[in-house]
Amino acid sequence: MGNNVRTAVMTALYRKSLRLSSSARQEHGVGQITNYMVVDAQQLSDACLQLHLCWSLPLQVIIALVLLYQVIGIPAFAGIATMIVITLITFLISQRQKHFIGLLMKARDRRMKSITEVLAYMKVIKLQAWEEKFEEKVMSDRKAEFNRLSQFVYSTGANIFTLWSLLPIVSVLTYVTAVLLDTGLTTTKVFTATSVFRIVQQPIWNFPQAAFALAQLVTSL
C-alpha cells in the first residue's frame, strides 16, 4: 500500500508540475517540487507501516493493565496513574515535535530551492562573479535547517527518554504501593506482574516511532 501511495503521489505531482502557470512556478520552484516528490511522497509511504500502531499499541497497554489489576489488585492503580501522567507529558512533547518538524520541512524546502537555483543558473552566477553571495545564501539556509533539525532531535530524545523511563518508574511505584497497603505481595504475584510489565514494554518503546510517523504524515500532507 505504501509503495502504491508513493507512486500515485509522485505521478500526480509530476502531472501537476507540467500544468503550473508562471505565477505558480514562482511560488513552487523546481527544488520545492523535487522535495515534494522525494521527501514527502516517501514519508507518506513510510507512514503506512506505522499507522496501525497508533491504535494497536494503546490497546495492548490497556489489556496489560487489566491483567495487572487482576494479579495485584488496588496497587495497580498507582502504576496506571503514573502511566497516564507520563503519557500526557509525552503527548505534549509530541506536539512540540509536530511543530518542529513543520519548521524543519519549510527550512528544507528553502535549502533545496536555493541549491537547485544555484545549479540551474550556474553559468550566470559565474559570469557575474556572484559565487560568494550565493554561497552565503546556501550556507544560511543550511544553517537554518540544521537548527530546526537540532530542535526536532532534542525533542525526540526527550520523548524517547521519558517513555523508556516509564516502565521502571511504574514498576517501582506499583510494588511500593503494594507493600505500603500490605496487599499480600507474594513471589508468584511479583513474577506475574513483572511478566505483564514486559508485555507493556515493547508497545511503549514503539509508541514514539508511531507518533513521529504520524506527525510526519500530517506535515507532508
Side-chain angles (χ1 to χ4, degrees):
M1 182 185 294
N3 286 329
N4 290 340
V5 168
R6 177 174 174 270
T7 304
V9 169
M10 290 181 67
T11 303
L13 285 169
Y14 177 72
R15 290 176 176 173
K16 179 65 176 178
S17 66
L18 296 178
R19 299 195 299 270
L20 289 178
S21 62
S22 298
S23 58
R25 287 187 182 278
Q26 295 295 324
E27 185 178 352
H28 299 278
V30 177
Q32 194 167 7
I33 294 174
T34 303
N35 202 36
Y36 291 153
M37 298 181 73
V38 174
V39 179
D40 294 322
Q42 184 62 48
Q43 287 180 352
L44 294 178
S45 174
D46 295 341
C48 291
L49 296 172
Q50 306 294 336
L51 281 178
H52 288 293
L53 295 178
C54 295
W55 66 266
S56 64
L57 294 184
L59 180 62
Q60 293 177 53
V61 172
I62 291 172
I63 293 174
L65 292 176
V66 171
L67 294 174
L68 184 64
Y69 175 76
Q70 293 176 348
V71 172
I72 61 176
I74 298 298
F77 286 107
I80 294 173
T82 306
M83 192 170 292
I84 291 173
V85 171
I86 296 180
T87 301
L88 291 175
I89 294 173
T90 57
F91 175 76
L92 295 176
I93 298 176
S94 298
Q95 291 296 106
R96 295 294 294 171
Q97 278 184 285
K98 182 180 176 182
H99 173 68
F100 288 143
I101 197 174
L103 297 176
L104 173 61
M105 296 296 289
K106 292 179 180 178
R108 186 173 294 167
D109 286 342
R110 287 194 296 269
R111 192 258 304 168
M112 286 286 293
K113 182 179 180 181
S114 298
I115 293 177
T116 304
E117 288 176 348
V118 168
L119 294 175
Y121 302 106
M122 181 66 71
K123 184 177 180 180
V124 177
I125 293 172
K126 298 287 283 185
L127 287 173
Q128 300 294 331
W130 289 338
E131 294 96 327
E132 293 184 1
K133 291 293 184 182
F134 277 87
E135 181 184 5
E136 291 176 2
K137 177 68 168 62
V138 171
M139 294 306 296
S140 175
D141 291 339
R142 285 172 62 89
K143 184 178 180 180
E145 181 185 3
F146 178 77
N147 291 335
R148 298 304 184 187
L149 180 61
S150 298
Q151 291 175 328
F152 172 71
V153 170
Y154 291 147
S155 63
T156 302
N159 207 358
I160 292 175
F161 175 79
T162 304
L163 284 173
W164 280 54
S165 303
L166 172 62
L167 195 59
I169 294 173
V170 170
S171 303
V172 170
L173 289 177
T174 302
Y175 293 143
V176 168
T177 305
V179 171
L180 293 176
L181 295 178
D182 194 17
T183 57
L185 192 63
T186 62
T187 306
T188 304
K189 290 183 178 180
V190 170
F191 278 114
T192 306
T194 303
S195 299
V196 174
F197 284 131
R198 284 188 171 275
I199 295 173
V200 180
Q201 178 176 318
Q202 197 62 39
I204 290 175
W205 287 357
N206 288 334
F207 188 75
Q209 184 179 1
F212 169 63
L214 186 62
Q216 282 190 318
L217 174 64
V218 173
T219 304
S220 295
L221 287 174

